[in-house]
Amino acid sequence: MNTTTQETRIAVVTGGSRGLGRNAALAIANKGIDVILTYRSRKDEADTVVAEIAALGRRAVALPLDVSRSAGFTDFAVQVKGILASQWQREHFDYLLNNAGTGVHAGIAETTEAQFDEMVNIHLKGVFFLTQKLLPLIADGGRIVNVSSGLARFALPGYAAYAAMKGGIEVLTRYMAKELGARGIAVNVVAPGAIETDFGGGAVRDNAQLNAFVASQTALGRVGVPDDIGGVIASLFTPDLRWVNAQRIEASGGMFL
Ligand code: NDP
């Protein structure tokens, strides 16, 4: 099943141990693509995803990565290069999903510089420089998907610092697409609405009042689940969507229309 040929496509998924990254990693594997996924602290969860992908007949490897620490990105790229050579006899991978991250919930008046810097480091600086370090390892003709948020389009009190970074990611996506087009690399950004994951302490999933509020503001009448997102991301790595480039694709069930 795990044949290693030149045709094998490989995706790197950051934050693949839980939530949307996990769901996307499985959806990507279901499209016949092998996966290198990363985790920050939950190695056990990452190993479970690796086993689930293996059960689908694809090869997967989990590596530790803190996307808030750009000083570690050169070492990470070296690790990926080594894994590509040892596991796939390849020098390149094909697809990059910049997904990993956490949020901060604080009003503008209360947000600390430390919270703001954390958001910059994870969502903006991390995506910028991780992609930069991995560029030599991405095959020409590959694809990149960044993850934004519905909160970059509509405003909810308490998400200013987080959403400002996601807005930055949407601009960065267009610049990546412009510069990397010469290598045949398409770059898009997926903006999920509120999805039931561990994100934000699992508030959207576990706080019944918040859950009902989000559902009431969503045209399709419910809160999103990870299965609503992984397939959208995985589709962007398939030939069907090869001409889609530099686009913001919101997957929110129609929030705040
Ligand atoms: P989860 O909390 O469920 O999962 C977060 C994932 O990111 C985990 O794999 C975690 O690793 C990893 N991670 C967290 N911080 C870091 C870090 N500093 N460095 C490396 N990895 C890290 O969150 P979601 O799956 O919900 O969120 C994924 C992405 O989707 C984020 O970018 C988020 O902003 C975005 N998003 C989420 C929405 C939602 O409603 N859930 C809505 C819109 C966007 P580990 O398991 O090891 O801790």
Side-chain angles (χ1 to χ4, degrees), residues 12-101:
V12 171
V13 175
T14 69
S17 48
R18 288 182 290 126
L20 304 187
R22 170 184 179 275
N23 193 276
L26 291 167
I28 288 165
N30 261 319
K31 301 272 186 208
I33 300 165
D34 289 352
V35 181
I36 298 173
L37 61 98
T38 78
Y39 61 94
R40 180 189 46 177
S41 55
R42 306 280 278 271
K43 183 177 186 308
D44 51 337
E45 307 254 12
D47 287 343
T48 302
V49 181
V50 167
E52 286 170 329
I53 290 174
L56 294 171
R58 301 310 321 174
R59 182 172 300 191
V61 173
L63 296 175
L65 172 71
D66 183 345
V67 294
S68 72
R69 228 178 49 82
S70 55
F73 293 170
T74 299
D75 282 353
F76 177 72
V78 168
Q79 259 187 297
V80 171
K81 194 177 159 90
I83 293 282
L84 286 171
S86 65
Q87 297 290 314
W88 284 277
Q89 295 75 54
R90 289 267 310 261
E91 292 183 352
H92 298 100
F93 67 90
D94 303 283
Y95 312 124
L96 172 62
L97 171 60
N98 284 309
N99 161 80

